[in-house]
Amino acid sequence: MPELVFFSGTMDCGKSTLALQIEHNRSARGLQGMIFTRDDRAGEGKLSSRLGLVTDAVEAVEGFDFYAYLVDRLSKGGRCDYVIADEAQFLAPEQIDQLARVVDDLDLDVFAFGITTDFRSKLFPGSQRLVELADRVEVLQVEALCWCGARATHNARTVGGVMVVEGAQVVVGDVNQSPDEIGYEVLCRRHHRRRMTAATARAAALSPDVLPVDVNGSTVRS
């Protein structure tokens, strides 16, 4: 039976790489799929991986109707054996409903990829709807790591290396932005709660205020 499958994880855990691998494996068997994306780091109409792989995709802009698009394609003699939707967290809930209808009414597998929560640890509306509707939710096993070495479970937005907790839910960025730009970093829950990024941790380690002191209050020098 066709399924709606949601592959979820933090940033930098290989979601887009897996999407490209699924596309490669199925196309190698003679199947033809449709790839959709939204606000990919490589630009409009692209699905890209941080490993350097990239392919063309249909940009699912605001108001885009997945079901109507695929019905139109199929009614004109086009072929579609499966659907891949990357950056699914940016989709509206009604677009997720359309993807579920593609599975149920058109008998197509739909593979959706996205992060579950935003930089404030709040569910993206698209991801929430996927959790509610998906036949399966698969948490990717390639673990992204926090700067401390623990498993990263949260996405942090940074400006100049400093974590911010206010702003629009969707701001396109990446984990490899320059320090002066808006960027993202994956953190464990402990350091996300403490708003401690790799940059602020380094700054704290270099600060004279955190040098160890002895019981008399004098600084211990090596």
Side-chain angles (χ1 to χ4, degrees):
M1 294 290 292
E3 289 185 306
L4 172 59
V5 186
F6 179 32
F7 295 94
S8 69
T10 61
M11 298 182 72
D12 210 20
C13 74
K15 295 181 300 300
S16 297
T17 301
L18 178 58
L20 289 164
Q21 184 67 54
I22 288 175
E23 161 65 13
H24 170 76
N25 290 351
R26 291 186 169 237
S27 63
R29 297 296 179 265
L31 300 175
Q32 294 182 20
M34 285 296 306
I35 302 175
F36 300 93
T37 191
R38 175 79 174 268
D39 294 335
D40 188 272
R41 69 183 72 84
E44 184 174 341
K46 298 292 181 183
L47 190 163
S48 66
S49 163
R50 291 188 180 88
L51 297 182
L53 304 172
V54 62
T55 191
D56 292 329
V58 175
E59 187 75 11
V61 298
E62 184 177 352
F64 181 85
D65 190 321
F66 288 92
Y67 183 78
Y69 182 95
L70 288 165
V71 166
D72 181 67
R73 176 184 175 87
L74 294 171
S75 65
K76 292 179 178 177
R79 181 179 171 185
C80 182
D81 299 310
Y82 60 94
V83 171
I84 290 173
D86 198 28
E87 306 293 356
Q89 71 274 5
F90 296 144
L91 300 177
E94 55 267 26
Q95 291 177 309
I96 304 303
D97 289 345
Q98 294 159 12
L99 290 174
R101 189 180 179 190
V102 167
V103 176
D104 296 339
D105 293 358
L106 302 182
D107 292 328
L108 299 178
D109 282 314
V110 173
F111 306 102
F113 299 81
I115 59 179
T116 308
T117 58
D118 65 15
F119 68 104
R120 300 164 299 185
S121 297
K122 303 295 184 181
L123 284 168
F124 280 100
S127 298
Q128 178 178 334
R129 193 62 177 145
L130 275 164
V131 171
E132 293 166 348
L133 292 182
D135 297 293
R136 286 190 290 128
V137 177
E138 301 281 354
V139 179
L140 296 196
Q141 298 303 307
V142 178
E143 294 184 351
L145 299 179
C146 178
W147 59 264
C148 69
R151 178 173 176 261
T153 55
H154 290 64
N155 305 292
R157 182 180 294 170
T158 61
V159 178
V162 177
M163 180 175 161
V164 296
V165 294
E166 296 181 352
Q169 186 176 51
V170 179
V171 176
V172 178
D174 203 354
V175 293
N176 297 314
Q177 301 291 88
S178 67
D180 295 329
E181 295 179 302
I182 293 176
Y184 289 89
E185 183 175 343
V186 290
L187 300 172
C188 64
R189 185 182 64 238
R190 175 182 291 110
H191 289 125
H192 191 276
R193 288 180 54 246
R194 296 175 180 175
R195 304 184 189 180
M196 184 171 286
T197 65
T200 55
R202 284 193 298 269
L206 294 173
S207 172
D209 295 334
V210 297
L211 288 175
V213 295
D214 63 21
V215 292
N216 297 316
S218 59
T219 302
V220 176
R221 302 184 182 278
S222 58

